[in-house]
Amino acid sequence: MRRLLPGRRTAVIGVVVLAVLAGATWVYKPWWQPWWYARTLCGGALSGGDLADLLPKERLRAGEDTFGSGDGTSVACEVDRPDGYHYVLRAEATTDGAEPDGPLDLEFTIPRDPQYLYSREIPGFHGNLGPMIVQDCPALGRDAEGRIRRLVTNVYSLAVERKPEATPARMAVQIANRANDELGCGAARLPVPDRLEPAHRLSLRQARATMCGGLARAALPRSPSGKDWQVLAPTGGRAPISSCSLVDSGTGRTAATFTGWYGDWTDKPFERLLGANVQIPDGHSVRDALLGENFGRATARCAGESANFLVNSYAPHGTGPVLPMSELRALLGVFAKEEAGRRGCDGLELPGRTVYPAQDR
């Protein structure tokens, strides 16, 4: 057998080692990529561990990144696929309130959307396309139309369209905090959550000390099971989106959810909501406070901007409301009046007694 000279043997071994290392680099590339891109993109706001957790199998590539650009009103960053045509993660934050639909541009086509409001530590919701955070910007004042300037932060990815999870919520908070500093919003820094704590069900007595106290003290209809009502109160009294829910303790199911939405950006989505789901009668319009078969809307003016209040009640599998709107109308009034009083709102308009039919499908 022919033997290699020592020098040649060393060279061959070196080539083999380099080949193995190159192959190992390709095989293990997804493991080191998240930390690299977390340091180099989005102003260094992201965590490499979160990026690895969210995109464990994707090979990554740097995409658009305007953090540090000095734009003044918005920042965005992307992590792309190697082909360069599609992003696997996009984060955006803007203080430009010119968009009429605002954070609800891709939401609210049916009354159940957005489906999950975050707890009081995170001012926002998990919508159809991922986390959305809405913060007032006290350092920026109002825009030319007299509207409060708000920082709206969202994270888009195929990996975050599923149910709400802590990792995408953490990423959205990290981006919001970085954008808050860069755009001069002046909002309070948000704590990065270790996990998403579900709202605990409270007895009516316990709920009286929360922002849902009005509902807890109101005359409630009989629950479907005949058992006691419980209350979910996940948001604080000054949240940009507030929420209270009535839960049937006998079934553990939510029977009705009351939410408050604050700012002119809520008007167009609510008009779209009514227009798509309710047969608007003559003499009324999609701007009015109305009751549909599955939801009802009240309106007010808070701090010079619109406020919209929503109650919805859905049975599983689209079989109709758990509780009829005729019974929930008074409770919507209780919720809206308490919210309006807490926030110094005026011009409160409650829906009449008529429940209007759904749009023909």
Side-chain angles (χ1 to χ4, degrees):
M1 182 176 68
R2 183 179 179 184
R3 294 191 177 187
L4 293 174
L5 296 175
R8 291 185 178 179
R9 185 165 60 243
T10 302
V12 170
I13 291 173
V15 170
V16 171
V17 168
L18 288 174
V20 171
L21 287 175
T25 300
W26 176 251
V27 170
Y28 290 105
K29 199 170 186 179
W31 293 103
W32 61 259
Q33 278 189 325
W35 283 270
W36 172 263
Y37 287 113
R39 286 198 305 268
T40 58
L41 289 177
C42 309
L46 297 179
S47 157
D50 286 342
L51 201 56
D53 182 45
L54 192 68
L55 303 169
K57 298 179 181 179
E58 294 283 355
R59 302 187 191 281
L60 309 179
R61 170 178 169 172
E64 176 192 4
D65 189 357
T66 62
F67 277 79
S69 66
D71 173 85
T73 60
S74 64
V75 286
C77 58
E78 286 183 359
V79 181
D80 292 349
R81 288 192 172 97
D83 61 19
Y85 292 109
H86 304 286
Y87 63 78
V88 290
L89 180 76
R90 178 173 174 83
E92 299 175 347
T94 180
T95 58
D96 183 2
E99 291 296 330
D101 285 14
L104 295 178
D105 184 31
L106 300 175
E107 315 286 340
F108 240 47
T109 54
I110 60 175
R112 284 171 290 181
D113 292 335
Q115 298 177 10
Y116 182 91
L117 295 180
Y118 290 121
S119 66
R120 64 192 67 218
E121 288 80 17
I122 306 176
F125 57 91
H126 187 101
N128 291 321
L129 297 178
M132 186 78 68
I133 296 177
V134 184
Q135 299 167 276
D136 289 351
C137 291
L140 297 180
R142 294 177 179 260
D143 65 13
E145 302 297 326
R147 298 171 297 204
I148 297 171
R149 290 193 181 275
R150 295 178 175 89
L151 177 64
V152 179
T153 305
N154 56 268
V155 173
Y156 298 136
S157 172
L158 291 177
V160 303
E161 291 180 18
R162 52 184 180 260
K163 66 179 181 179
E165 294 179 352
T167 298
R170 277 197 302 272
M171 299 178 84
V173 167
Q174 291 162 349
I175 292 292
N177 284 336
R178 181 68 183 86
N180 181 28
D181 293 338
E182 182 163 331
L183 300 178
C185 171
R189 191 169 185 82
L190 300 175
V192 180
D194 292 328
R195 56 187 179 275
L196 294 184
E197 294 286 354
H200 297 293
R201 288 187 281 175
L202 306 174
S203 68
L204 294 180
R205 181 179 295 275
Q206 292 171 321
R208 289 176 183 174
T210 71
M211 51 99 39
C212 304
L215 289 175
R217 291 185 291 269
L220 301 176
R222 186 178 184 274
S223 72
S225 72
K227 302 294 184 180
D228 291 340
W229 285 112
Q230 294 176 316
V231 175
L232 294 178
T235 56
R238 299 298 299 177
I241 306 165
S242 58
S243 176
C244 297
S245 296
L246 291 178
V247 179
D248 184 346
S249 65
T251 63
R253 293 175 177 168
T254 297
T257 297
F258 303 82
T259 49
W261 306 79
Y262 302 94
D264 286 350
W265 56 271
T266 66
D267 279 338
K268 290 295 183 182
F270 266 83
E271 291 171 14
R272 186 170 67 239
L273 177 68
L274 265 71
N277 294 280
V278 179
Q279 293 185 31
I280 306 298
D282 292 340
H284 289 275
S285 75
V286 291
R287 297 182 178 87
D288 293 341
L290 293 173
L291 291 180
E293 292 181 353
N294 295 297
F295 69 94
R297 175 208 196 180
T299 63
R301 298 288 294 177
C302 302
E305 293 191 68
S306 298
N308 285 276
F309 306 100
L310 176 70
V311 58
N312 64 63
S313 176
Y314 276 91
H317 312 301
T319 56
V322 178
L323 296 173
M325 284 299 116
S326 58
E327 294 184 7
L328 291 176
R329 172 181 173 271
L331 296 181
L332 174 60
V334 169
F335 174 79
K337 287 176 183 176
E338 187 166 52
E339 285 284 280
R342 182 184 296 115
R343 297 170 185 260
C345 307
D346 55 26
L348 179 62
E349 294 186 10
L350 302 176
R353 296 181 180 277
T354 303
V355 178
Y356 294 100
Q359 288 279 18
D360 295 332
R361 298 298 182 187

